[in-house]
């Protein structure tokens, strides 16, 4: 029943709800009567996620026969914001935008393209399904713009179970155990234990987790807002830890790291057995299951980044995807109904089937695969920080990743200073 | 004969086409001048659809790009007029200056390698045209392959582990050899140049071969009868007389290399540490990744000017005979 409660139509819908209850009609049937027309979603996801979305939309249309969902698909490679901006600036009108970048949410809000959803949140009582922390994640100041429908752990390390079993080691729980495992794994015939795909962006994953593990989520938040400079000792400490890892022989040569993207390194781990650890997001789960045909929890698994013992081991980096409501969409009622549907048990179950976790309290976590359950539990026990790269201004994040490439080429103290000064110089003009 | 070759370089099969009537407008010769467009309003009517299409698809986007280059546009925010601000910032930007140097090395490298190889293969093929036809077709087929597809093929050749084709070939002589050609700043640009040259050889081969084929048999026969060796014939007759084809090949490959984007995007993404970032990639990064549309548009205009600088002398030279 909550689905149709939006804006000016609310009294009419409440009236219809009363009539429906009198007639013994179910809320789902009522929803079907009340929401109609075309719902347009700006869609940029590909592969398995696109299939997931097709299933979600089909389920929504089944529950709401009066609604036809149409995807406005934008395609591209890499950062999809360019294609999304092009579509929006080109005059495309959509009701819902799927978004994963907080910085882009702010840009959309500043441009007046999306609107706050606080009224709908209250009217639909979404707080019973999403905790305040998820609401805060989708907020700009006091206004909520994003409804989070899935999230992922970005501080989990993927591994192939047989690698560690053959080497006679357990998933490392501490930094020292992680460092010690490199020689053991190399002795077992693996080329370079830790995969660091540095061709584009994935090498920043390791830095970001090290940042929150050495200095806490507050430091990362302050850095994202440029409340502290990049030359701050806390940032330096994270890079020093990164350098420690490199010095311990964790990884392939710098040129190999710089020549590889995350998928190539995943191949090196899961197909070629040349790597053992890969710190990357939860999309790895789908690739391992679908592309490599591996059995989740048996052939491969995940452990949370080892404890550094610096007082911040309860922190994890996360990402999320959210829905934004546009200001100029033609069907806000259906859009809100769709938001509500995405928090339902049915939508959560569909997501779980594709290996994606829903933050909704209606989600049955037992439906998730074993690795997803490890990940979900780890995030639940952590202080979380959104991926730093997605919080930074566009030109700064570019410079940040390029400078980290320089660091990988030469992880010396002098280079750390040079790298941080270069990022800070860019930050000075980016905010 | 040599004049015929020079004047007829655009039509590989007709080096002496003017003399043979292949390219002249019938009747023009009788009036002692070439036919002009302004001779008949019907001509304008006939080219009107093309002009309209050209205006919509080329002139308008070009004008819009130039207009945008005078604005500061960041993301979805409102445009702010900055006059020449983007151009001033562009030339003060060390990254852009680095991009120009990289683009020059890439452009000259690809052009020099592809045209040299294409020209050389054309010379050799000319000695046995029928027998080398399948070979020429194969080389030219690479020219027809999409740059993106070609780039993915080169990823497999240049992949950093021992399974990479290049590494495995070197590994025959040096077991265990593995080099990350695209991840090493010293080799990434050259690896790109080789990869881009591979697909660019086909056109010079075609053009130069056609130019050689246009050399009258009587000239070659005379050289043979005078006792000239094949190497002398190649050096003193075939090479000089095929120069018109070489010039066209240089012109086209230079332009293509200057505008290159796809192969760089797929193979290196401009990296490592921006060492393979050309003007085309810089333009994409600024416009599409960072969505600084005005700044990206300014870079586009600079690229356009670079293309014009290359094109205009070639066009003037090639149309010099037209009255």
């Amino acid at each position: 029943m909550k689905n149709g409660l939006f804006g000016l139509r609310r009294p009419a819908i409440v009236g219809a709800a009363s009539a429906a209850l009198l007639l013994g009609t179910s809320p789902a049937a009522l929803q079907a009567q009340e929401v109609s027309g075309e719902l347009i979603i700006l869609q940029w996801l590909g592969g398995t996620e696109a299939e997931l979305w097709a299933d979600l939309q089909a389920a929504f249309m089944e529950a709401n026969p009066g609604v036809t969902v149409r995807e406005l698909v934008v395609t591209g490679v890499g950062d999809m914001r360019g294609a999304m901006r092009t579509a929006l600036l080109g005059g495309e009108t959509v009701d819902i935008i799927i978004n994963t970048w907080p910085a882009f949410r702010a840009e959309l809000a500043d441009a007046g393209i999306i609107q706050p959803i606080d009224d709908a949140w209250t009217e639909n009582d979404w707080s019973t399904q999403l905790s305040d922390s998820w609401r805060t994640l989708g907020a700009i100041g006091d206004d909520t713009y994003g409804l989070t429908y899935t999230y992922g752990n970005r501080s989990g390390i993927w591994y192939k179970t047989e690698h560690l079993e053959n080497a006679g080691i357990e998933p490392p729980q501490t930094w020292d155990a992680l460092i010690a495992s490199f020689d053991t794994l190399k002795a077992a015939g693996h080329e370079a234990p830790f995969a660091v795909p540095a061709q584009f962006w994935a090498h920043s994953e390791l830095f970001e987790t090290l940042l929150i593990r050495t200095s806490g989520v507050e430091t990362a938040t302050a850095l994202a807002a440029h409340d502290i400079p990049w030359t701050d000792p806390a940032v330096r400490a994270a890079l020093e830890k990164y350098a420690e890892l490199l010095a311990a022989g964790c990884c392939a040569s710098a040129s190999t790291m710089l020549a590889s993207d995350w998928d190539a390194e995943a191949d090196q781990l899961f197909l070629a057995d040349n790597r053992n650890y890969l710190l990357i997001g939860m999309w790895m789960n789908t690739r391992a299951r679908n592309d490599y045909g591996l059995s989740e929890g048996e052939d491969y698994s995940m452990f949370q980044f080892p404890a550094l013992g610096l007082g911040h081991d309860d922190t994890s980096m996360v990402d999320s995807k959210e829905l934004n409501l546009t200001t100029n969409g033609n069907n806000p009622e259906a859009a809100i109904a769709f938001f509500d549907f995405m928090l339902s048990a049915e939508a959560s179950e569909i997501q779980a089937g594709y290996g994606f976790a829903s933050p909704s309290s209606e989600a049955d976590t037992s439906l998730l695969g074993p690795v997803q359950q490890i990940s979900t539990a780890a995030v639940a026990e952590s202080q979380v920080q959104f991926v730093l790269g997605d919080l930074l201004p566009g030109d700064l994040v570019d410079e940040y990743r390029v400078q980290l490439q320089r660091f990988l080429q030469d992880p010396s103290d002098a280079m750390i200073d040079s790298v941080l000064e270069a990022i800070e110089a860019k930050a000075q003009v980016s905010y | 004969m040599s004049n015929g070759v020079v004047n007829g370089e655009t039509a590989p099969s007709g080096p002496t086409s003017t003399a043979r009537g292949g390219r002249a407008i019938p009747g023009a010769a009788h009036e002692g001048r070439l036919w002009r467009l302004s001779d008949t309003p019907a001509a304008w009517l006939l080219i009107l659809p093309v002009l309209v299409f050209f205006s919509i698809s080329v002139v308008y986007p070009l004008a819009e790009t130039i207009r945008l280059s005078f604005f500061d546009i960041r993301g979805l925010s409102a445009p702010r007029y900055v006059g020449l601000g983007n151009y001033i910032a562009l030339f003060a930007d060390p990254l852009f200056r680095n991009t120009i140097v990289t683009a020059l090395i890439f452009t000259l490298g690809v052009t020099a390698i592809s045209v040299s190889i294409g020209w050389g293969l054309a010379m050799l093929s000319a000695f046995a045209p029928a027998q080398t036809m399948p070979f020429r077709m194969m080389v030219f087929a690479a020219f027809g392959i999409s740059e993106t597809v070609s780039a993915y093929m080169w990823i497999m050749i240049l992949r950093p582990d021992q399974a990479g084709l290049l590494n495995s070939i070197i590994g025959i002589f040096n077991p265990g050899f593995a080099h990350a050609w695209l991840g090493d700043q010293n080799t990434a640009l050259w690896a790109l140049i080789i990869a881009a040259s591979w697909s660019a050889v086909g056109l010079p081969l075609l053009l130069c071969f056609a130019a050689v084929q246009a050399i009258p048999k009587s000239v070659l026969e005379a050289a043979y009868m005078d006792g000239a060796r094949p190497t002398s014939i190649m050096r003193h007759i075939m090479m000089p007389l095929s120069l018109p084809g070489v010039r066209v090949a240089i012109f086209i490959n230079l332009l293509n290399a200057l505008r290159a984007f796809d192969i760089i995007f797929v193979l290196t993404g401009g990296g490592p540490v921006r060492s393979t970032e050309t003007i085309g990639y810089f333009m994409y990064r600024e416009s599409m990744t960072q969505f600084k549309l005005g700044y990206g548009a300014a870079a586009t205009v600079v690229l356009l000017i670079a293309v014009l600088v290359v094109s205009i002398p070639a066009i003037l030279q090639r149309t010099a005979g037209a009255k």
Side-chain angles (χ1 to χ4, degrees):
Chain A
M1 192 172 78
K2 290 178 290 183
N3 290 341
L5 303 181
F6 182 76
L8 297 174
R9 298 188 63 181
R10 186 181 177 195
I13 293 166
V14 172
S18 308
L21 286 170
L22 286 173
L23 293 170
T25 310
S26 71
L30 171 69
Q31 173 185 308
Q33 290 165 13
E34 293 303 325
V35 186
S36 61
E38 187 179 55
L39 175 68
I40 307 172
I41 299 174
L42 184 61
Q43 166 67 283
W44 52 272
L45 298 164
T48 308
E49 281 194 88
E51 293 169 21
L52 160 68
W53 267 86
D55 279 1
L56 288 168
Q57 289 160 14
F60 177 72
M61 285 191 283
E62 195 178 332
N64 300 271
V67 179
T68 306
V69 179
R70 178 165 69 87
E71 287 184 345
L72 177 69
V73 179
V74 292
T75 55
V77 178
D79 191 333
M80 288 301 296
R81 280 175 285 188
M84 295 167 78
R85 289 184 185 106
T86 304
L88 295 168
L89 281 178
E92 296 286 1
T93 303
V94 298
D95 298 292
I96 294 173
I97 296 172
I98 303 169
N99 184 19
T100 191
W101 308 272
F104 190 48
R105 181 204 307 139
E107 188 181 325
L108 290 167
D110 285 347
I113 292 172
I114 59 172
Q115 58 177 303
I117 53 171
D118 294 291
D119 290 346
W121 197 291
T122 305
E123 289 169 12
N124 291 278
D125 202 15
W126 286 333
S127 291
T128 60
Q129 292 154 299
L130 279 186
S131 67
D132 284 349
S133 60
W134 290 114
R135 186 170 185 173
T136 305
L137 199 65
I140 301 171
D142 294 332
D143 296 324
T144 312
Y145 284 88
L147 182 102
T148 305
Y149 71 88
T150 190
Y151 67 97
N153 176 15
R154 294 284 280 266
S155 293
I157 296 178
W158 299 86
Y159 68 98
K160 206 170 171 181
T161 48
E162 68 173 15
H163 289 177
L164 301 198
E165 283 168 10
N166 293 344
I169 55 176
E170 292 292 319
Q173 300 299 309
T174 65
W175 179 255
D176 290 342
L178 178 72
I179 299 283
S181 72
F182 297 156
D183 285 342
T184 312
L185 289 162
K186 283 182 184 173
H190 303 290
E191 191 179 282
F194 215 118
V196 179
Q199 190 177 18
F200 300 112
W201 55 269
H203 53 303
S204 58
E205 301 279 293
L206 198 46
F207 166 75
E208 294 181 10
T209 286
L210 284 169
L211 179 68
I212 57 172
R213 288 300 181 88
T214 51
S215 304
V217 294
E218 298 80 7
T219 301
T221 304
L223 187 63
H226 202 217
D227 291 337
I228 60 170
W230 282 81
T231 48
D232 191 277
V235 187
R236 198 178 200 290
L239 274 188
E240 284 170 352
K241 214 67 184 164
Y242 205 152
E244 201 178 305
L245 201 69
L246 295 168
C250 66
C251 309
S253 66
S255 57
T256 300
M257 291 189 271
L258 266 59
S260 311
D261 198 8
W262 74 270
D263 48 354
E265 286 296 281
D267 290 349
Q268 288 293 320
L269 195 165
F270 292 106
L271 298 180
D273 297 322
N274 286 329
R275 309 277 183 268
N276 309 107
Y277 306 131
L278 176 61
L279 177 67
I280 205 79
M282 295 307 294
W283 57 85
M284 186 64 244
N285 202 26
T286 311
R287 186 178 179 90
R289 287 197 316 192
N290 298 352
D291 295 4
Y292 303 143
L294 300 175
S295 175
E296 183 179 347
E298 292 177 18
D299 296 328
Y300 69 95
S301 190
M302 165 192 276
F303 62 91
Q304 206 62 2
F305 198 86
L308 300 188
L310 297 174
H312 303 288
D313 291 327
D314 62 340
T315 57
S316 293
M317 200 62 83
V318 296
D319 61 16
S320 71
K321 289 195 178 73
E322 66 184 33
L323 304 178
N324 298 139
L325 179 68
T326 61
T327 51
N328 65 344
N330 294 319
N331 203 344
E333 294 88 353
I336 291 297
F338 191 83
F339 278 42
D340 195 68
F341 168 77
M342 288 297 282
L343 297 179
S344 68
E346 184 183 4
S348 302
E349 187 177 338
I350 293 170
Q351 290 199 81
Y354 281 89
F356 293 98
S358 166
S360 171
S361 60
E362 293 194 25
D364 180 356
T365 52
S366 68
L367 295 172
L368 296 170
V371 174
Q372 267 289 7
Q373 291 195 31
I374 292 171
S375 165
T376 306
V379 172
E381 293 165 4
S382 299
Q383 291 184 60
V384 296
Q385 167 65 32
F386 204 91
V387 178
L388 181 64
D390 289 345
L391 296 171
L392 300 176
D395 49 352
L396 178 59
V397 75
D398 191 56
E399 185 69 20
Y400 152 65
R401 288 166 179 164
V402 167
Q403 291 302 328
L404 282 186
Q405 287 184 332
R406 287 181 63 217
F407 162 77
L408 290 175
Q409 289 176 325
D410 172 17
S412 65
D413 282 352
M415 181 57 83
I416 290 175
D417 288 335
S418 168
V419 159
L420 294 179
E421 281 164 14
I423 304 174
E424 177 57 25
K426 189 70 179 180
Q428 292 286 344
V429 294
S430 294
Y431 286 88
Chain B
M1 192 283 306
S2 60
N3 281 345
V5 173
V6 171
N7 291 337
E9 63 271 39
T10 50
S13 60
T16 56
S17 53
T18 305
R20 291 170 185 168
R23 297 183 65 203
I25 303 300
H30 300 293
E31 295 164 17
R33 65 175 176 82
L34 289 175
W35 175 86
R36 290 194 184 116
L37 188 65
S38 56
D39 285 354
T40 166
W44 286 107
L45 195 64
L46 290 170
I47 66 167
L48 188 63
V50 177
L51 280 178
V52 170
F53 182 73
F54 184 76
S55 300
I56 293 170
S57 62
V58 177
V59 177
Y60 173 72
L62 186 61
E64 188 65 8
T65 301
I66 293 170
R67 189 183 71 83
L68 284 178
S69 72
F70 297 118
F71 288 86
D72 180 17
I73 311 169
R74 288 169 187 265
L76 297 163
S77 61
R80 186 171 61 88
Y81 181 75
V82 291
L84 293 173
N86 284 328
Y87 292 94
I88 294 166
L90 199 60
F91 285 101
D93 186 344
L95 297 181
F96 184 68
R97 289 201 298 269
N98 176 61
T99 290
I100 291 175
V101 173
T102 306
L104 275 176
I105 296 171
F106 178 82
T107 302
L108 295 177
V110 170
T111 306
I113 291 172
S114 61
V115 174
S116 303
I117 294 175
W119 193 17
L121 292 176
M123 294 294 110
L124 294 174
S125 300
F127 285 104
Q131 291 82 351
T132 55
M133 192 178 73
F135 167 74
R136 294 198 310 275
M137 283 173 65
M138 281 191 283
V139 175
F140 189 71
F143 178 69
I145 294 175
S146 133
E147 271 196 32
T148 308
V149 173
S150 160
Y152 277 106
M153 187 193 74
W154 278 93
I155 282 180
M156 302 311 292
I157 294 172
L158 299 170
R159 56 183 281 181
D161 57 8
Q162 291 174 36
L165 182 63
L166 182 57
N167 283 344
S168 61
I169 290 171
I170 297 173
I172 294 170
F173 309 100
N174 182 8
F177 180 85
H179 182 74
W181 303 96
L182 297 172
D184 182 342
Q185 266 178 273
N186 298 313
T187 56
L189 184 57
W190 290 105
L192 260 186
I193 288 171
I194 300 294
S197 300
W198 174 78
S199 57
V201 166
L203 190 69
L205 170 60
L206 183 79
L207 293 170
C208 297
F209 183 77
V212 172
Q213 287 300 98
I215 299 171
K217 282 192 170 52
S218 57
V219 173
L220 298 169
E221 285 165 1
Y224 275 120
M225 290 180 70
D226 287 344
R229 288 172 301 172
T231 48
S232 300
I233 292 173
M234 186 191 285
R235 185 176 166 196
H236 297 294
I237 298 175
M238 291 166 67
M239 289 182 77
L241 295 185
S242 62
L243 280 177
V246 176
R247 276 200 291 270
V248 177
I250 289 173
F251 171 58
I252 294 174
N253 280 18
L254 210 57
L255 283 185
N256 285 339
L258 200 56
R259 296 182 298 119
F261 169 76
D262 304 24
I263 199 162
I264 299 167
F265 180 80
V266 176
L267 280 181
T268 63
V273 197
R274 298 198 176 105
S275 60
T276 59
E277 204 168 270
T278 60
I279 301 176
Y281 192 85
F282 179 90
M283 185 179 79
Y284 162 80
R285 182 166 60 79
E286 293 295 331
S287 301
M288 296 306 293
T289 305
Q290 303 187 6
F291 223 67
K292 288 152 65 180
L293 280 181
Y295 198 59
T300 308
V301 172
V302 171
L303 177 62
L304 172 74
I305 292 168
V307 168
L308 288 177
V309 165
V310 173
S311 307
I312 287 175
I315 291 168
L316 289 177
Q317 185 260 325
R318 291 185 51 71
T319 55
K323 306 270 189 225

